[in-house]
Amino acid sequence: MKKLSITVKRIAPLFLAASLALGALTGCEYSSVEDYLEDLGILDPYDREDETGTVADLEISTVNFEYDTDENNSQEEPEIQIAESDASQELSAEASAEALPQDEAKELLEEPGADPEIGNHADDEFVKGYKELKDSNTDSEVKAARTAMGLTENGIRELKNAQKGLYAYELLTDAGKTLYVEMLAILQNLGTDVTVSTTSDEAIEMVFDYVMADHPEIFYVDGYQYTNYSVGDTITRISFTGNYLYGADEVKRRQTRINEAVNKCLQGAPSSEDDYYAIKYVYEYLIANTEYDMDAVDNQNICSVFINGKSVCNGYAKAAQYLLGKLGIKSTLVTGTVNTRNSSGVRHAWNLVLCNNSYYYMDVTWGDASYQTVSGESADATKLPAVNYDYLNVTTSEITSNHAISDIMAMPKCNSIADNFYVRENEYFTSAEMALVTDLFNRRYKDGSNNVTIKCSNDGIYDSLFEELITNRRVFECLQGDTSQVSYTTFEDTRTIIFWI
């Protein structure tokens, strides 16, 4: 939810003139007040006076934005859609008089291909609103505030170099990247009322979202405010301030505790040049060490996960991004909505990850059984896997079967399945061959698993295997030991069948 409050203060021309005179006494070198106004962009050099021959009133507007970007609102986030009326069912070896109906086969998934270009820079429409702020011609008070944040010309160049490769950052024009690092530096230093290089309200809003999408470590910010300095309808300058949840001492204390939790996690991380293993490790680690709790404190940031072990989707996604960054894996925050069995359009957050040079989506929250059962809708919580891998390295086609991606930033078309969990773990079925099913059952018995998960590449194969294994009860041909009954769980939207052994 975005809350907006505006306070407007009008300043008379006489006060404006007094302020400019004071500025001249503090080291600003201008031959006239008019020259100073021109440099600020307040006065058009070709139109020194308005119709009455006086400088127009200066208006200052302060705008506050507080963000509640997660599902922690009036509408509870229900569990993942389950294809059957209950989360799990039991199948008897005896034939049933009533066959289970199946839909006709649908089209196959598109073949994986290369990711296309994202497109034009996201902030092209704001180019006219950007204003370069050089050290040599910036007002002394403005310059002092920016310098305290490290926003000198050299400092900005260094900050830009440090952001190279970050997903959201790379979507911006060079001027947009300048605004990005300005806002980033202000937030990192808990700065207040620092002038930035734009006169566009919309650019402020968009670039703030981009900064937060790339930087999960900024856990102490939940929004921002900015002040517009304008003459008439023309904004001449904007100063920016973050909405800070804690003071500097508390930020340091929390960061120390976060570091302890992160270091503990990283000690067990795999050492491999294959990105898949690091991403899988983070996915499993967060699920094992985090409980889904809509009442968790700090659930919009990483403190909820690393300090309290309880969170909601925003906390899960930001924690995943934070850990992946420590392991050298590029990722970003994705926001949007999800559709479930009981609701549609529920706000949600997950991740875009770069695995072995291809993009995939990853939703740690929906991979956690504690999320699946928190609403109490599941018939038997013990018949759900502790880790649901349906949302580990999936394509755009798969994620959009029940997720809708917001238009905050452009996302790539994720077509590769090479590093999808089921493909990598040999649980991905591109045909309905019973011999392959039997082999999978044998492997799961051998490794001591309590379930066999079958992931189908398309609806036709899902329907065929459902009919063979469940309708025709051929699953009993795959079971070991004296077994006359087996439980199963189906996820039709992700084409997954789980048998409990």
Side-chain angles (χ1 to χ4, degrees):
M1 180 182 298
K2 189 180 294 181
K3 301 174 183 177
L4 170 64
S5 61
I6 301 178
T7 303
V8 178
K9 181 177 180 182
R10 299 193 69 83
I11 301 178
L14 179 61
F15 182 81
L16 173 62
S19 298
L20 295 178
L22 179 61
L25 295 175
T26 58
C28 296
E29 298 180 0
Y30 294 93
S31 59
S32 67
V33 170
E34 287 80 8
D35 289 337
Y36 184 74
L37 288 171
E38 283 180 19
D39 192 69
L40 285 179
I42 295 174
L43 188 63
D44 188 331
Y46 300 105
D47 187 12
R48 290 282 191 180
E49 298 180 344
D50 60 18
E51 292 180 357
T52 61
T54 60
V55 178
D57 287 359
L58 177 67
E59 183 178 287
I60 300 177
S61 303
T62 300
V63 182
N64 296 280
F65 286 99
E66 295 178 1
Y67 280 83
D68 180 11
T69 58
D70 201 67
E71 67 274 40
N72 192 15
N73 54 37
S74 59
Q75 185 180 19
E76 291 189 359
E77 185 174 36
E79 63 169 334
I80 296 175
Q81 180 178 351
I82 307 297
E84 308 297 337
S85 58
D86 295 321
S88 63
Q89 299 188 30
E90 292 185 350
L91 183 67
S92 172
E94 297 181 4
S96 170
E98 181 179 357
L100 299 176
Q102 292 292 304
D103 296 331
E104 294 184 0
K106 301 180 179 68
E107 293 181 359
L108 300 179
L109 288 174
E110 295 180 6
E111 290 297 319
D115 295 324
E117 293 295 326
I118 299 299
N120 296 330
H121 289 290
D123 57 333
D124 279 345
E125 60 185 295
F126 304 131
V127 168
K128 292 182 179 179
Y130 291 123
K131 182 177 181 181
E132 186 177 9
L133 298 177
K134 292 185 177 180
D135 295 347
S136 59
N137 61 4
T138 303
D139 171 76
S140 60
E141 184 177 351
V142 169
K143 182 178 179 179
R146 287 173 58 83
T147 300
M149 301 293 104
L151 296 177
T152 62
E153 291 177 30
N154 287 333
I156 287 173
R157 279 194 293 270
E158 292 176 1
L159 282 168
K160 284 183 173 181
N161 286 333
Q163 308 312 306
K164 287 182 178 178
L166 295 182
Y167 183 85
Y169 175 80
E170 294 294 354
L171 296 178
L172 299 169
T173 63
D174 185 64
K177 290 176 179 177
T178 299
L179 178 60
Y180 177 111
V181 299
E182 289 172 339
M183 295 170 72
L184 174 63
I186 294 167
L187 296 176
Q188 288 176 332
N189 291 282
L190 281 72
T192 60
D193 200 28
V194 181
T195 298
V196 291
S197 58
T198 188
T199 56
S200 167
D201 296 349
E202 293 85 357
I204 291 284
E205 181 177 0
M206 183 194 71
V207 175
F208 175 82
D209 287 337
Y210 279 38
V211 170
M212 297 303 288
D214 279 341
H215 290 276
E217 75 278 7
I218 306 179
F219 61 86
Y220 45 85
V221 172
D222 70 345
Y224 63 92
Q225 65 180 22
Y226 61 88
T227 300
N228 285 345
Y229 296 79
S230 58
V231 175
D233 295 330
T234 303
I235 299 174
T236 59
R237 180 165 70 89
I238 292 180
S239 64
F240 178 83
T241 302
N243 284 346
Y244 304 112
L245 296 171
Y246 328 108
D249 290 342
E250 180 63 11
V251 169
K252 290 180 181 178
R253 188 186 74 82
R254 286 173 177 259
Q255 186 63 61
T256 297
R257 295 186 65 186
I258 290 169
N259 291 344
E260 292 171 354
V262 169
N263 289 337
K264 181 180 179 181
C265 168
L266 297 180
Q267 287 174 0
S271 55
S272 172
E273 294 183 358
D274 189 335
D275 295 340
Y276 169 78
Y277 294 109
I279 294 170
K280 178 174 176 277
Y281 175 79
V282 168
Y283 189 88
E284 293 174 335
Y285 185 92
L286 288 174
I287 289 171
N289 291 277
T290 311
E291 179 183 348
Y292 186 87
D293 185 353
M294 290 190 68
D295 297 322
V297 296
D298 296 312
N299 61 24
Q300 299 299 295
N301 62 60
I302 61 175
C303 291
S304 56
V305 173
F306 296 129
I307 296 177
N308 303 314
K310 296 181 179 181
S311 193
V312 294
C313 66
N314 224 36
Y316 276 86
K318 289 184 176 182
Q321 184 183 10
Y322 190 83
L323 290 173
L324 290 173
K326 295 292 184 180
L327 293 171
I329 306 295
K330 294 179 180 179
S331 64
T332 197
L333 184 75
V334 183
T335 59
T337 60
V338 290
N339 296 328
T340 68
R341 181 174 61 182
N342 299 316
S343 301
S344 62
V346 181
R347 287 183 296 170
H348 193 57
W350 60 100
N351 297 102
L352 177 75
V353 297
L354 186 63
C355 181
N356 297 323
N357 297 317
S358 292
Y359 281 113
Y360 300 86
Y361 288 106
M362 178 180 77
D363 189 342
V364 184
T365 311
W366 275 34
D368 194 338
S370 68
Y371 164 69
Q372 298 173 34
T373 60
V374 72
S375 63
E377 296 180 5
S378 297
D380 186 351
T382 65
K383 295 304 182 183
L384 289 172
V387 181
N388 178 359
Y389 293 100
D390 279 343
Y391 299 94
L392 176 55
N393 286 4
V394 300
T395 63
T396 298
S397 176
E398 286 185 285
I399 201 71
T400 54
S401 68
N402 45 34
H403 292 52
I405 302 168
S406 72
D407 60 358
I408 290 177
M409 68 179 72
M411 288 290 151
K413 183 74 171 178
C414 304
N415 285 330
S416 176
I417 63 170
D419 286 312
N420 173 265
F421 169 82
Y422 295 109
V423 173
R424 290 293 299 259
E425 304 296 330
N426 294 319
E427 297 178 6
Y428 189 76
F429 284 74
T430 57
S431 69
E433 294 182 39
M434 282 299 300
L436 297 176
V437 175
T438 301
D439 177 68
L440 178 57
F441 269 81
N442 291 339
R443 283 188 278 131
R444 290 298 164 260
Y445 276 112
K446 185 176 181 180
D447 63 25
S449 177
N450 69 343
N451 73 85
V452 175
T453 300
I454 297 172
K455 173 73 172 183
C456 303
S457 62
N458 60 66
D459 292 335
I461 294 170
Y462 173 88
D463 292 345
S464 295
L465 285 176
F466 189 101
E467 182 174 7
E468 285 295 302
L469 294 169
I470 297 173
T471 306
N472 298 334
R473 287 168 168 71
R474 292 192 65 186
V475 65
F476 292 99
E477 299 174 12
C478 306
L479 300 178
Q480 297 181 9
D482 185 13
T483 304
S484 61
Q485 185 171 285
V486 65
S487 298
Y488 67 94
T489 305
T490 58
F491 296 86
E492 188 175 14
D493 59 336
T494 59
R495 299 180 297 278
T496 307
I497 305 172
I498 303 173
F499 291 99
W500 300 92
I501 58 175

